[in-house]
Amino acid sequence: MRIGVIGGGSIGLLFAYYFSFRHQVTVVTRRKEQAEAIQKNGICLLADGKEQTVKVRGRAELDSGYDLLFVAVKEHQLAAVLPELEKAAPLDIMFLQNGMAHIPVLEKWNAGHGIYTGAVEHGAVRVDDRTLRHTGKGAVKWSAFRAASADGLKKELASVHEAFPFIWCEDWYGMLAGKLIVNACINPLTALLRVKNGKLIEEPMYLSFMKLVFEEASRILAIDDLEAAWENVLSVCRKTELNTSSMLADVLAERQTEADAIMGYLLKRAKETGSDAPHLAFLYHSIKAVTER
Amino acid sequence: MRIGVIGGGSIGLLFAYYFSFRHQVTVVTRRKEQAEAIQKNGICLLADGKEQTVKVRGRAELDSGYDLLFVAVKEHQLAAVLPELEKAAPLDIMFLQNGMAHIPVLEKWNAGHGIYTGAVEHGAVRVDDRTLRHTGKGAVKWSAFRAASADGLKKELASVHEAFPFIWCEDWYGMLAGKLIVNACINPLTALLRVKNGKLIEEPMYLSFMKLVFEEASRILAIDDLEAAWENVLSVCRKTELNTSSMLADVLAERQTEADAIMGYLLKRAKETGSDAPHLAFLYHSIKAVTER
């Protein structure tokens, strides 16, 4: 397949790297220098003490001729990307944003493309414009959001790379809601306490606090199997115990966080149903205050 | 009376200013330059658009010959002050620290002095070494912690200055616990959300969060009249709605906060009784993380 990846952050580079072994990959970045660095020197991935470089194309503008596009920009950058995608001939597009704030946007967006959503369960950190570290090996869960048939894509995504599995999910809502709960529990707390993910389950009082956040988020998202969802949060904390969450990384680097896509989205949903979410409100405003300082 | 005030922060300067009208006042500061500025130019107080300067003595070391000493340093600075006080001949000393972390220290401290505790319900901001703004007029509640008789002091403190009333409290524990609850509710939340005190009651979700903090703190301190204590927190938020809390001021100025004296003390008490306080733990560690950044 001819694969396009929009976004040169850690997730964009991760996708480009693993697809490059069996597909022709182009990374489309906002900054020209990054596109040139990728075009000239490829993408270098560090994992398990080894490094490997792969050749991919780098572009600063979206061109045509793709079979599958991954949109790997943050939710608050989508507004700049969608108009470009509207110009393209119908193709399959998978959106990889955290949270669910992009869902109402995609619901209204009808550009004739097959639309898929993905939930990335990998840890990755960008080291420089063309280098990344694969810090946590996981999977990409994906689902059809609005598409005629996912059969062709299912075949293709079944064998991308043995270290980069795709897991099909019938229910996109459950898939994204599950990921959102994990993000809501782990991201703001680690960012405010400035601790690695594992601390949230090591320290009993952080754990009780995280449970309070979980209860709010799972009620807002109307999660059925609360026990399984909570067990999943704990399991992600365990598996990524030495990781710095993306929100903590954003706070430390003084970048815009995904507070709107994660807590902001949940607060909006809570408001619509007239329910109360003091913990999420507090976390949302504290993160905003810290980053706007 | 010959009054000594230890500490040249906003509260120390405030006490020195109001006592200077009917008493001989000495301010003892840590920095020599501040003592000299006070000795040379007096203390200047700004309030209601006016300013007034009073003459007081300034010293960088504690001398002798006082009838009453106010200790207006923060709790974490007490360890540097107590050894000095041990050298003094028996006199009356009033401790003005926020929180209750100084109580176990004073319980063990037996230097033969009459010991009183005060809870300052004034807002004051230091402008420079000898100038302060009196931003919120209130009262000083005081009580005997360990003293033969408070009768003499009661008479003297009844008429310090019409804008600086002292209110006698029979029960030092209830007095300090009431103030501590207010501090625990207002200080860390305003510091993390970076909002003025009034916002905590304006924004319904901040209010719900503050209530959760109140419930923990009041349970730990075994407060009897919960309704009155909560009403008092709300009333302080209303009266000081435009004020920047001292903890927010400390965070913004990158100074050490009173997190240990306020949340730290409550957490210690919670731990002793084996009870849970996830909100206070979260606030404590978040404030620590922000200031240690």
Side-chain angles (χ1 to χ4, degrees), chain A residues 195-220:
Chain A
V195 295
K196 296 200 184 292
N197 296 355
K199 265 280 173 210
L200 297 182
I201 50 174
E202 266 170 47
E203 181 69 55
M205 288 200 184
Y206 296 173
L207 184 62
S208 339
F209 199 96
M210 183 162 75
K211 189 76 192 276
L212 296 167
V213 177
F214 171 82
E215 278 159 11
E216 271 181 23
S218 57
R219 204 189 55 236
I220 294 168

Short mmCIF file of all heavy atoms in Angstrom, two decimals, chain A residues 195-220:
data_model
loop_
_atom_site.label_atom_id
_atom_site.label_comp_id
_atom_site.label_asym_id
_atom_site.label_seq_id
_atom_site.Cartn_x
_atom_site.Cartn_y
_atom_site.Cartn_z
N VAL A 195 5.04 12.76 38.51
CA VAL A 195 5.54 11.41 38.81
C VAL A 195 5.38 10.52 37.57
O VAL A 195 4.59 10.80 36.68
CB VAL A 195 4.76 10.76 39.98
CG1 VAL A 195 5.01 11.51 41.28
CG2 VAL A 195 3.25 10.68 39.69
N LYS A 196 6.14 9.45 37.55
CA LYS A 196 6.01 8.46 36.49
C LYS A 196 4.73 7.64 36.72
O LYS A 196 4.21 7.59 37.83
CB LYS A 196 7.24 7.56 36.46
CG LYS A 196 8.49 8.37 36.10
CD LYS A 196 9.62 7.50 35.59
CE LYS A 196 10.88 8.32 35.33
NZ LYS A 196 10.74 9.25 34.21
N ASN A 197 4.26 6.99 35.67
CA ASN A 197 2.95 6.33 35.72
C ASN A 197 2.82 5.32 36.87
O ASN A 197 1.77 5.22 37.51
CB ASN A 197 2.67 5.61 34.40
CG ASN A 197 2.57 6.58 33.22
OD1 ASN A 197 2.63 7.80 33.42
ND2 ASN A 197 2.45 6.07 32.03
N GLY A 198 3.89 4.60 37.15
CA GLY A 198 3.82 3.55 38.17
C GLY A 198 3.52 4.07 39.56
O GLY A 198 2.92 3.37 40.38
N LYS A 199 3.91 5.31 39.85
CA LYS A 199 3.70 5.91 41.17
C LYS A 199 2.23 5.95 41.56
O LYS A 199 1.87 5.91 42.73
CB LYS A 199 4.25 7.34 41.19
CG LYS A 199 5.66 7.45 41.71
CD LYS A 199 5.70 7.41 43.23
CE LYS A 199 7.14 7.36 43.72
NZ LYS A 199 7.27 6.66 44.99
N LEU A 200 1.36 6.07 40.54
CA LEU A 200 -0.07 6.21 40.81
C LEU A 200 -0.64 4.95 41.47
O LEU A 200 -1.65 5.03 42.17
CB LEU A 200 -0.85 6.52 39.53
CG LEU A 200 -0.52 7.84 38.83
CD1 LEU A 200 -1.40 8.02 37.61
CD2 LEU A 200 -0.69 9.02 39.79
N ILE A 201 -0.01 3.80 41.25
CA ILE A 201 -0.50 2.60 41.93
C ILE A 201 0.38 2.22 43.12
O ILE A 201 -0.04 1.49 44.00
CB ILE A 201 -0.67 1.39 40.98
CG1 ILE A 201 0.60 1.17 40.15
CG2 ILE A 201 -1.85 1.62 40.05
CD1 ILE A 201 0.54 -0.09 39.31
N GLU A 202 1.59 2.76 43.17
CA GLU A 202 2.48 2.46 44.30
C GLU A 202 2.03 3.17 45.56
O GLU A 202 2.08 2.65 46.66
CB GLU A 202 3.90 2.94 43.99
CG GLU A 202 4.81 1.92 43.38
CD GLU A 202 6.08 2.59 42.91
OE1 GLU A 202 6.66 3.38 43.68
OE2 GLU A 202 6.46 2.36 41.75
N GLU A 203 1.65 4.45 45.39
CA GLU A 203 1.34 5.32 46.53
C GLU A 203 -0.17 5.20 46.81
O GLU A 203 -0.99 5.63 46.01
CB GLU A 203 1.71 6.75 46.12
CG GLU A 203 1.50 7.81 47.15
CD GLU A 203 2.44 7.70 48.32
OE1 GLU A 203 3.67 7.69 48.11
OE2 GLU A 203 1.93 7.60 49.45
N PRO A 204 -0.56 4.62 47.97
CA PRO A 204 -1.98 4.33 48.20
C PRO A 204 -2.89 5.56 48.06
O PRO A 204 -4.00 5.45 47.56
CB PRO A 204 -2.00 3.81 49.64
CG PRO A 204 -0.62 3.30 49.89
CD PRO A 204 0.30 4.15 49.06
N MET A 205 -2.39 6.74 48.47
CA MET A 205 -3.27 7.90 48.40
C MET A 205 -3.44 8.41 46.97
O MET A 205 -4.47 8.96 46.62
CB MET A 205 -2.75 9.01 49.31
CG MET A 205 -2.98 8.65 50.77
SD MET A 205 -2.92 10.10 51.81
CE MET A 205 -3.11 9.34 53.43
N TYR A 206 -2.43 8.24 46.13
CA TYR A 206 -2.60 8.60 44.72
C TYR A 206 -3.61 7.64 44.08
O TYR A 206 -4.43 8.03 43.27
CB TYR A 206 -1.29 8.50 43.95
CG TYR A 206 -0.20 9.45 44.37
CD1 TYR A 206 1.08 9.34 43.84
CD2 TYR A 206 -0.43 10.46 45.30
CE1 TYR A 206 2.09 10.20 44.22
CE2 TYR A 206 0.58 11.32 45.68
CZ TYR A 206 1.84 11.18 45.15
OH TYR A 206 2.85 12.02 45.51
N LEU A 207 -3.50 6.38 44.49
CA LEU A 207 -4.41 5.37 43.95
C LEU A 207 -5.85 5.70 44.31
O LEU A 207 -6.75 5.64 43.45
CB LEU A 207 -4.01 3.98 44.49
CG LEU A 207 -4.80 2.80 43.95
CD1 LEU A 207 -4.62 2.65 42.46
CD2 LEU A 207 -4.37 1.51 44.65
N SER A 208 -6.10 6.10 45.57
CA SER A 208 -7.48 6.45 45.95
C SER A 208 -7.95 7.65 45.14
O SER A 208 -9.11 7.74 44.75
CB SER A 208 -7.62 6.83 47.42
OG SER A 208 -6.60 6.35 48.20
N PHE A 209 -7.05 8.60 44.92
CA PHE A 209 -7.45 9.77 44.15
C PHE A 209 -7.78 9.38 42.71
O PHE A 209 -8.76 9.82 42.14
CB PHE A 209 -6.34 10.83 44.18
CG PHE A 209 -6.84 12.19 43.82
CD1 PHE A 209 -7.21 13.09 44.81
CD2 PHE A 209 -6.99 12.56 42.50
CE1 PHE A 209 -7.70 14.34 44.48
CE2 PHE A 209 -7.49 13.81 42.16
CZ PHE A 209 -7.85 14.70 43.15
N MET A 210 -6.92 8.52 42.15
CA MET A 210 -7.16 8.08 40.77
C MET A 210 -8.50 7.35 40.67
O MET A 210 -9.22 7.50 39.68
CB MET A 210 -6.01 7.18 40.30
CG MET A 210 -6.16 6.73 38.85
SD MET A 210 -4.61 6.13 38.14
CE MET A 210 -4.49 4.54 38.94
N LYS A 211 -8.85 6.61 41.72
CA LYS A 211 -10.14 5.90 41.73
C LYS A 211 -11.29 6.91 41.67
O LYS A 211 -12.30 6.67 40.99
CB LYS A 211 -10.24 5.03 42.98
CG LYS A 211 -11.44 4.07 42.99
CD LYS A 211 -11.24 2.87 42.08
CE LYS A 211 -12.49 2.05 41.83
NZ LYS A 211 -12.77 1.06 42.87
N LEU A 212 -11.15 8.01 42.38
CA LEU A 212 -12.20 9.04 42.36
C LEU A 212 -12.34 9.63 40.95
O LEU A 212 -13.45 9.88 40.48
CB LEU A 212 -11.86 10.15 43.36
CG LEU A 212 -11.83 9.74 44.84
CD1 LEU A 212 -11.19 10.81 45.70
CD2 LEU A 212 -13.24 9.43 45.33
N VAL A 213 -11.22 9.83 40.27
CA VAL A 213 -11.26 10.34 38.89
C VAL A 213 -11.90 9.29 37.98
O VAL A 213 -12.75 9.60 37.14
CB VAL A 213 -9.83 10.67 38.40
CG1 VAL A 213 -9.85 11.13 36.95
CG2 VAL A 213 -9.19 11.73 39.30
N PHE A 214 -11.52 8.03 38.18
CA PHE A 214 -12.08 6.93 37.40
C PHE A 214 -13.60 6.87 37.54
O PHE A 214 -14.32 6.70 36.56
CB PHE A 214 -11.46 5.59 37.84
CG PHE A 214 -12.12 4.39 37.23
CD1 PHE A 214 -11.78 3.97 35.95
CD2 PHE A 214 -13.11 3.69 37.92
CE1 PHE A 214 -12.41 2.88 35.38
CE2 PHE A 214 -13.74 2.59 37.35
CZ PHE A 214 -13.38 2.19 36.07
N GLU A 215 -14.07 7.01 38.78
CA GLU A 215 -15.51 6.92 39.00
C GLU A 215 -16.28 8.00 38.24
O GLU A 215 -17.32 7.74 37.64
CB GLU A 215 -15.82 6.96 40.50
CG GLU A 215 -15.61 5.58 41.12
CD GLU A 215 -15.39 5.61 42.62
OE1 GLU A 215 -15.61 6.67 43.25
OE2 GLU A 215 -14.98 4.56 43.17
N GLU A 216 -15.71 9.20 38.25
CA GLU A 216 -16.36 10.27 37.49
C GLU A 216 -16.35 9.98 35.99
O GLU A 216 -17.37 10.08 35.31
CB GLU A 216 -15.63 11.60 37.72
CG GLU A 216 -16.14 12.36 38.91
CD GLU A 216 -15.40 13.67 39.10
OE1 GLU A 216 -14.81 14.19 38.13
OE2 GLU A 216 -15.43 14.18 40.22
N ALA A 217 -15.17 9.66 35.47
CA ALA A 217 -15.02 9.46 34.02
C ALA A 217 -15.86 8.29 33.54
O ALA A 217 -16.52 8.38 32.49
CB ALA A 217 -13.55 9.26 33.68
N SER A 218 -15.88 7.20 34.29
CA SER A 218 -16.61 6.02 33.82
C SER A 218 -18.12 6.26 33.89
O SER A 218 -18.87 5.73 33.08
CB SER A 218 -16.22 4.79 34.63
OG SER A 218 -16.45 5.01 36.00
N ARG A 219 -18.56 7.08 34.84
CA ARG A 219 -19.98 7.41 34.92
C ARG A 219 -20.37 8.28 33.71
O ARG A 219 -21.39 8.06 33.07
CB ARG A 219 -20.27 8.16 36.22
CG ARG A 219 -21.71 8.06 36.70
CD ARG A 219 -21.95 9.01 37.87
NE ARG A 219 -21.58 10.35 37.50
CZ ARG A 219 -20.70 11.11 38.16
NH1 ARG A 219 -20.11 10.68 39.24
NH2 ARG A 219 -20.42 12.34 37.74
N ILE A 220 -19.53 9.26 33.40
CA ILE A 220 -19.82 10.15 32.26
C ILE A 220 -19.87 9.36 30.96
O ILE A 220 -20.72 9.60 30.10
CB ILE A 220 -18.74 11.26 32.18
CG1 ILE A 220 -18.84 12.19 33.39
CG2 ILE A 220 -18.88 12.06 30.88
CD1 ILE A 220 -17.66 13.13 33.55
#
